[in-house]
Amino acid sequence: MNTSFFSVIVCSIDPWNFAQVGTHFERLLAGVPHEIIGIHDARSLAEGYNRGLRRAHGDIVIFSHDDVTFLDGQFAQKIGMRMQSWDVLGFAGASRLISPVWFAAYKHLNGAVCHWSRRHPSRLSLMIYGAQDWPVVGSIEVLDGLCMIARHEAAAAIGFDSVTFDGWHLYDCDFSFAAHLAGYRIGVCCDIPYIHASASVHGNKSIFISDTYEKYSERFFRKYEHQREMLPFGRQSALGTQCFVNDHETLIGLWTEDVFRRATLSIARRYKGEIL
């Protein structure tokens, strides 16, 4: 029986988004002890998450964006059980960090991201990066920050570097890679479907090719250049197997071990012979 206490920390300046995500987590965590902590004036995501962590009472802490929806009624039970074996969990990440951009290591990616975008409101875009194991892939070095989950003591020991990452980018790669360097067990959950209502755009272009993202990538590179030989920031695009669906029922039907395994094999064949 799961007796964990969950603390959900959300940085949000949008009252509607915060109300929606708060109600969503109340439903996901119904029946288990939990609290929802909102930070509405964060100077950066790192600063906001640090402040929320100081207020958190839970032994499991969820750091979530305000536009994520999980489609698994067993979310609380799965996470509660898995956090007995893992220190940090995410939903997309890489088992090898080769660049400040986490998805640059396309041969080492695991998990998936499903986006909904206001630019294409009639469809959902599912990008499967791979699943080297199921339901959780281990030996992960870096995570996407749309939702990261950590044991409280691990999160408190690592903390978020709000000095170096004083904006909205790469706080997640920094947190997860620091956890990896400290020896914590990091995994990617592959079996929990979700939707992230973000198209990762800045103006009319991807945030991953913006000057702001490049600035923080250079900071990341400088911080860890003595820890790991890395490629400098480049104009990478996320590489995986993509498909489009029109409703969440279809999405859930696709989010299976068989589909993920087939996608993983397809990605491996696509990049066979390449060294990364």
Side-chain angles (χ1 to χ4, degrees), residues 32-188:
V32 299
H34 65 274
E35 62 182 354
I36 312 293
I37 299 171
I39 305 296
H40 307 296
D41 58 351
R43 294 186 291 276
S44 67
L45 277 171
E47 184 275 333
Y49 281 155
N50 278 337
R51 203 183 333 154
L53 184 59
R54 289 193 292 269
R55 291 169 50 187
H57 298 93
D59 52 307
I60 297 175
V61 183
I62 299 174
F63 302 96
S64 178
H65 287 191
D66 67 357
D67 55 0
V68 178
T69 301
F70 290 97
L71 305 175
D72 190 334
Q74 298 300 308
F75 177 89
Q77 289 76 13
K78 288 181 177 180
I79 297 301
M81 288 295 295
R82 290 171 188 175
M83 293 309 293
Q84 297 177 29
S85 303
W86 301 92
D87 298 305
V88 183
L89 290 174
F91 299 89
S95 57
R96 177 70 177 172
L97 179 71
I98 67 160
S99 166
V101 182
W102 71 268
F103 52 73
Y106 52 83
K107 292 178 67 176
H108 306 279
L109 300 183
N110 286 278
V113 177
C114 180
H115 279 125
W116 174 84
S117 168
R118 288 184 175 84
R119 303 173 76 177
H120 304 286
S122 63
R123 70 183 189 185
L124 298 169
S125 170
L126 173 61
M127 181 71 79
I128 300 175
Y129 298 113
Q132 300 299 328
D133 205 347
W134 191 272
V136 181
V137 181
S139 300
I140 297 297
E141 293 188 0
V142 61
L143 294 170
D144 184 282
L146 59 92
C147 184
M148 298 185 295
I149 304 170
R151 293 190 301 109
H152 192 289
E153 56 266 39
I158 303 161
F160 289 86
D161 183 354
S162 60
V163 175
T164 306
F165 303 98
D166 56 355
W168 313 101
H169 306 304
L170 288 174
Y171 66 93
D172 48 357
C173 293
D174 175 68
F175 175 81
S176 50
F177 191 55
H180 161 70
L181 292 177
Y184 288 106
R185 300 160 296 178
I186 307 174
V188 164

Side-chain angles (χ1 to χ4, degrees), residues 18-31:
F18 182 72
Q20 291 292 304
V21 77
T23 299
H24 175 59
F25 274 107
E26 289 285 359
R27 292 171 179 166
L28 283 177
L29 301 175

